[in-house]
């Protein structure tokens, strides 16, 4: 696959420094936790609000979202749920691109985030102006961007995809005879290109969490646990993906745990996902895939520093004060909604075809 844009060393360094500097929410006492949970339930009713959390969010937030009629999901399903729900306020316990997608699809709703600094290294590695200039240089190519991008980058795209539907959508576009620009994740881009054989020019962004998974150490762990099935998110490096039994989005990996006959799994994605995996199959054993070396040489160590800034404390504050609202310029929103709607329409059609053939 052709490489389109190497993330400059300085930008890469800035992203890694930012990730490492994100504050870790302080541990709270059981009494404080109970107090916050009671308060949030009251505020959710007062504000006609619902919590939409990603699988990587803190376990307390996932439990709360489920118990209060909210939703815990992968990035594709998060986008659809906010649109269907009648609440006038959506609280996104995830990262910024998820909040922005919710706002793009629901301009009439108030979208709040516990911390507006909850970013994503893929989003940060794809500055809107540089990306738009690059697209301008290749007017013959359709522009496909991963959901993990800013509203401005989506506004420049023909299609948005998530890890749930990237292969299918790129296959479809290849079938239409399209040549593509892909951004921003280099590993997912490479995986999709290998699966589809499409002509793709790929941005070279990276996920700070998945980029750290290491093939050699994973191979050693596999050898020590020959009965374990290896589950890998496709934002991981190619040599890690090669060792996988299942490669897929967060929801595909959770389904693999509940549906497989295997009783042990090595999981190469953010370990926040273990909450749902354990609920799906409490009797099964889950091991975190190694993130480098035999000593702890990882920086992120299997957990997204931006997902981790969401907490019961800051969720309570934003619900109470109505702060941290996502605002998107209407001109950008109107452009950004088109490739998202194209993706949601494609996924709905694919889903109805699948249902009709089962
Ligand atoms: P999913 O679309 O699989 O939920 O992934 C989102 C993400 O940010 C993974 O790092
Ligand atoms: Fe972005 Fe990686 Fe965090 Fe997912 S895990 S939100 S891709 S930095």
């Amino acid at each position: 696959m052709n490489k389109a844009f190497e993330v400059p060393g300085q930008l890469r360094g800035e992203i890694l420094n930012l990730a490492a500097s994100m504050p870790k929410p302080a541990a709270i006492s059981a009494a404080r936790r109970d107090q916050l949970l009671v308060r949030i339930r009251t505020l959710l009713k007062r504000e006609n609000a619902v919590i939409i959390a990603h699988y990587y969010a803190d376990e307390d937030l996932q439990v709360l979202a489920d118990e209060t009629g909210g939703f815990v999901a992968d990035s594709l399903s998060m986008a659809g749920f906010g649109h269907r729900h009648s609440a006038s306020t959506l609280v996104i316990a995830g990262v910024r691109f998820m909040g922005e997608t919710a706002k793009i699809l629901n301009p009439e709703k108030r979208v709040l985030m516990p911390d507006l600094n909850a970013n994503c290294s893929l989003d940060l590695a794809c500055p809107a102006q540089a990306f738009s200039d690059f697209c301008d240089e290749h007017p013959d190519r359709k522009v496909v961007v991963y959901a993990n991008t800013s509203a401005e980058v989506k506004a420049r795209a023909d299609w948005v995809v998530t890890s749930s539907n990237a292969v299918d959508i790129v296959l479809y576009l290849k079938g239409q005879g399209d040549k593509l620009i892909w951004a921003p994740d280099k590993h997912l881009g490479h995986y999709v290109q290998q699966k589809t054989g499409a002509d793709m020019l790929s941005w070279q962004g990276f996920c700070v969490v998945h980029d750290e998974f290491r093939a050699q150490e994973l191979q050693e762990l596999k050898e020590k646990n020959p009965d374990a099935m290896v589950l890998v998110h496709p934002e991981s490096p190619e040599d890690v993906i090669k060792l996988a039994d299942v490669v897929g989005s967060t929801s595909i990996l959770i389904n693999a745990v509940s549906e497989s006959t295997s009783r042990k799994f090595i999981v190469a994605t953010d370990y926040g996902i273990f909450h749902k995996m354990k609920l799906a199959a409490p009797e099964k054993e889950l091991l975190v895939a190694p993130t480098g070396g035999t000593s702890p040489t990882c920086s992120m160590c299997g957990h997204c520093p931006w997902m981790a800034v969401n907490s019961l404390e800051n969720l309570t504050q934003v619900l109470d004060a109505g702060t941290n609202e996502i605002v998107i310029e209407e001109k950008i929103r109107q452009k950004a909604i088109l490739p998202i709607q194209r993706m949601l329409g494609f996924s709905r059609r694919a889903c109805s075809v699948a249902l009709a053939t089962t």
Side-chain angles (χ1 to χ4, degrees), residues 54-56 73-78 95 97-98 120 122 146-148 161-164 207 209-210 233-235 248-253 269-270 273 304 307:
H54 189 263
Y55 291 129
Y56 298 165
D74 67 8
S75 59
L76 175 65
S77 302
M78 284 174 82
V95 293
F97 78 84
M98 295 168 177
C120 165
L122 290 168
Y146 196 29
N148 303 36
V161 300
T162 74
S163 50
S164 301
C207 162
V209 179
H210 294 86
H233 194 283
E235 289 167 13
S249 66
T250 46
S251 42
I252 288 174
L253 301 185
T269 194
D270 185 302
I273 203 171
C304 177
M307 288 281 180

Side-chain angles (χ1 to χ4, degrees), residues 201-226:
L201 214 48
S202 177
W203 204 259
Q204 297 292 294
F206 62 101
C207 162
V208 290
V209 179
H210 294 86
D211 200 41
E212 284 188 343
F213 290 118
R214 291 288 166 262
Q216 194 189 323
E217 290 78 5
L218 177 56
Q219 178 62 40
E220 286 161 17
L221 188 61
K222 246 171 98 103
E223 282 161 19
K224 281 190 206 137
N225 297 276

Side-chain angles (χ1 to χ4, degrees), residues 11 72 80 94 180 186 194 214 238 302 314:
L11 178 57
V72 184
L180 309 176
K186 61 178 178 181
Q194 297 280 299
R214 291 288 166 262
E238 182 186 9
N314 53 18

Side-chain angles (χ1 to χ4, degrees), residues 46-350:
R46 188 186 86 185
E47 300 298 318
N48 185 22
V50 70
I51 301 169
I52 306 175
H54 189 263
Y55 291 129
Y56 298 165
D58 180 77
E59 184 168 336
D60 279 344
L61 295 171
Q62 294 192 42
V63 171
L64 181 65
D66 278 335
E67 285 181 0
T68 54
F71 195 48
V72 184
D74 67 8
S75 59
L76 175 65
S77 302
M78 284 174 82
F81 180 83
H83 202 44
R84 291 191 302 273
H85 200 280
S86 62
S88 57
T89 293
L90 309 176
V91 187
I92 307 297
V95 293
R96 196 173 171 112
F97 78 84
M98 295 168 177
E100 289 190 350
T101 302
K103 185 65 187 177
I104 291 166
L105 289 168
N106 304 284
E108 73 294 353
K109 297 191 183 193
R110 189 171 62 147
V111 177
L112 305 178
M113 293 197 63
D115 189 331
L116 286 176
N117 293 318
N119 220 306
C120 165
S121 59
L122 290 168
D123 185 345
L124 293 166
C126 192
Q129 190 57 54
F131 182 63
S132 182
D133 291 347
F134 179 74
C135 295
D136 289 346
E137 287 165 25
H138 301 279
D140 55 321
R141 288 177 179 264
K142 283 263 163 68
V143 179
V144 180
V145 302
Y146 196 29
N148 303 36
T149 44
S150 65
E152 288 80 4
V153 166
K154 290 186 176 79
R156 187 62 184 78
D158 298 301
W159 285 82
V160 168
V161 300
T162 74
S163 50
S164 301
N165 53 30
V167 168
D168 292 340
I169 289 178
V170 168
L171 255 186
Y172 164 76
L173 293 172
K174 186 190 169 210
Q176 302 282 102
D178 291 322
K179 292 197 287 181
L180 309 176
I181 284 175
W182 166 273
D185 187 32
K186 61 178 178 181
H187 295 310
L188 180 59
H190 183 76
Y191 173 73
V192 171
Q193 200 282 328
Q194 297 280 299
K195 284 285 207 193
T196 61
D199 182 339
M200 294 162 65
L201 214 48
S202 177
W203 204 259
Q204 297 292 294
F206 62 101
C207 162
V208 290
V209 179
H210 294 86
D211 200 41
E212 284 188 343
F213 290 118
R214 291 288 166 262
Q216 194 189 323
E217 290 78 5
L218 177 56
Q219 178 62 40
E220 286 161 17
L221 188 61
K222 246 171 98 103
E223 282 161 19
K224 281 190 206 137
N225 297 276
D227 53 334
M229 187 177 237
V230 178
L231 311 179
V232 175
H233 194 283
E235 289 167 13
S236 307
E238 182 186 9
D239 53 1
V240 172
I241 289 181
K242 277 200 180 125
L243 296 171
D245 296 299
V246 177
V247 181
S249 66
T250 46
S251 42
I252 288 174
L253 301 185
I254 293 169
N255 288 344
V257 170
S258 55
E259 283 164 17
S260 156
T261 51
S262 182
R263 302 194 63 77
K264 198 191 270 187
F265 300 85
I266 302 172
V267 183
T269 194
D270 185 302
Y271 60 71
I273 203 171
F274 282 21
H275 167 64
K276 281 288 180 190
M277 287 179 167
K278 283 183 199 149
L279 278 183
E283 73 290 359
K284 297 192 179 178
E285 189 182 345
L286 306 172
L287 305 173
V288 186
T291 42
T294 44
S295 62
T297 53
C298 54
S299 311
M300 306 308 143
C301 308
H303 193 37
C304 177
W306 291 291
M307 288 281 180
V309 295
N310 296 288
S311 69
L312 291 177
E313 292 280 5
N314 53 18
L315 178 66
T316 311
Q317 282 158 20
V318 298
L319 261 177
D320 198 12
T323 45
N324 287 2
E325 183 170 355
I326 295 278
V327 179
I328 296 174
E329 205 186 311
E330 185 56 15
K331 205 168 68 182
I332 303 282
R333 192 195 70 78
Q334 282 182 13
K335 286 189 187 154
I337 197 170
L338 301 175
I340 300 175
Q341 283 176 333
R342 226 165 257 145
M343 168 185 78
L344 293 174
F346 182 95
S347 288
R348 268 196 301 274
R349 283 193 298 281

